[in-house]
Amino acid sequence: MAVTSVDVAAGPAAESGPEPRTQSLMLTFFGAHVLGRSVAVSSGSVIAALGRVGSTEEAVRTTLNRMVKRDLLERTRQGRKTYFELTPHAVQVLTDGRDRIWRTGAVNRDWDGRWTMVGFSLPEAWSRERHDLRSRLIWAGFGPLQNGLWVAPARVDVREMVAGLGLESYLRVFRAEVDSPTDVREVLEQAFDVPAIGARYRSFLERWDRTEPLPAAASGDELAGQLLVHTDWLDLVRRDPHLPAEHLPADWPAGQAETVFRGLAGRWERPAARAAAQLLDTLTLG
């Protein structure tokens, strides 16, 4: 099962408030129940599904239109009904989210000690370009070590990461290892807000690691529970730079949080699929 949510336009910035935004929930829904199928889904289906987690009809319609403009959905009319299908861009985004959840995982136990370093200097007036580049860097797991120098404890294909920005000539990319007297943990603490990352995992556990009461919308509604927990979880892993476990505090909560997520995901998968099948009004694509 593929489930993901990404605020593509805003990049990896944190979502405000405790409840996920409508676009994130909508992408979760499409990732879970549409990705990999040659179908378009009626707007009424999406409204009914997201209504189970408290999204209003107006919010859903507004978000559907916004996602068309952002090249995430394509609109098709059939009689009086409107259907939406995933664009190739959306498929790429959703597949990336699926991989982050099920392949990469929340705990990095296989670090080889190598870093990717990116140095850049952009013209002062290029505020939009600077914002776009920083958003891409954060999404790819980089943190700012010092002014104009970002690091990631992984091998990152920077050329692919910045594709379309037109900034390649302004970048300097290196692969490196930390050497004495520099300490790896000091680099991590300087480039990344390690306590904040851990706090987000602990907040997830406070919200989901209990029998009752679960978030209100999830109680007794497996589809709502699936949409909420998957959206919460991907928001965590997309903002986690996947730091090497050996250099993190001994009580790092990511592993426990991942166990809780996987348990709930497995518990709700089949009943959520049945509930979605009853709601879905689809149009088969040629």
Side-chain angles (χ1 to χ4, degrees):
M1 180 175 63
V3 182
T4 184
S5 62
V6 178
D7 187 345
V8 177
E15 294 175 335
S16 60
E19 296 299 329
R21 292 191 297 181
T22 301
Q23 179 171 294
S24 294
L25 288 161
M26 190 178 295
L27 280 166
T28 296
F29 174 73
F30 275 97
H33 303 291
V34 180
L35 182 65
R37 302 174 60 189
S38 296
V39 298
V41 182
S42 72
S43 57
S45 296
V46 184
I47 290 167
L50 268 63
R52 299 172 81 139
V53 292
S55 296
T56 66
E57 179 176 345
E58 180 182 4
V60 173
R61 291 191 184 280
T62 298
T63 302
L64 286 169
N65 290 331
R66 182 184 302 123
M67 290 173 66
V68 170
K69 293 177 181 178
R70 292 178 175 176
D71 190 35
L72 292 168
L73 295 176
E74 183 175 337
R75 184 187 288 111
T76 301
R77 299 192 185 279
Q78 184 84 355
R80 299 182 64 181
K81 293 184 178 181
T82 303
Y83 292 81
F84 294 86
E85 64 180 281
L86 296 170
T87 64
H89 176 48
V91 170
Q92 181 182 11
V93 169
L94 294 171
T95 301
D96 176 76
R98 177 193 61 196
D99 290 346
R100 286 179 182 240
I101 290 175
W102 300 111
R103 292 186 182 180
T104 305
V107 183
N108 181 1
R109 298 186 178 91
D110 302 313
W111 189 48
D112 63 0
R114 302 273 287 172
W115 300 74
T116 302
M117 306 179 67
V118 176
F120 63 91
S121 179
L122 304 183
E124 189 66 29
W126 287 16
S127 58
R128 181 181 61 81
E129 289 84 354
R130 186 174 292 102
H131 168 79
D132 290 345
L133 176 57
R134 288 173 174 170
S135 293
R136 297 278 186 97
L137 286 165
I138 294 170
W139 175 250
F142 284 85
L145 185 61
Q146 59 191 54
N147 187 35
L149 179 62
W150 290 59
V151 296
R155 178 180 290 278
V156 180
D157 185 341
V158 177
R159 182 179 295 276
E160 179 180 350
M161 180 194 75
V162 301
L165 296 182
L167 299 177
E168 286 84 352
S169 63
Y170 294 89
L171 306 181
R172 298 295 179 266
V173 182
F174 307 89
R175 289 280 291 161
E177 296 179 359
V178 168
D179 201 358
S180 180
T182 304
D183 180 75
V184 170
R185 180 170 288 193
E186 290 179 356
V187 174
L188 293 177
E189 291 174 350
Q190 183 174 347
F192 304 94
D193 192 344
V194 175
I197 298 168
R200 289 195 287 269
Y201 280 110
R202 293 186 180 92
S203 293
F204 179 90
L205 287 167
E206 290 174 5
R207 182 172 167 85
W208 293 105
D209 190 17
R210 47 183 170 163
T211 304
E212 293 292 342
L214 288 171
S219 299
D221 188 333
E222 291 87 353
L223 177 57
Q226 181 196 55
L227 296 180
L228 289 168
V229 76
H230 276 274
T231 301
D232 277 3
W233 183 248
L234 188 58
D235 180 56
L236 271 181
V237 297
R238 72 176 187 173
R239 296 164 64 191
D240 183 352
H242 209 51
L243 305 179
E246 64 197 276
H247 297 289
L248 294 171
D251 61 348
W252 192 246
Q256 181 185 353
E258 185 169 50
T259 297
V260 170
F261 163 73
R262 288 178 179 266
L264 290 171
R267 167 179 155 190
W268 286 332
E269 180 176 1
R270 290 186 178 180
R274 290 193 295 268
Q278 293 176 352
L279 291 176
L280 283 174
D281 172 16
T282 61
L283 180 66
T284 301
L285 303 174

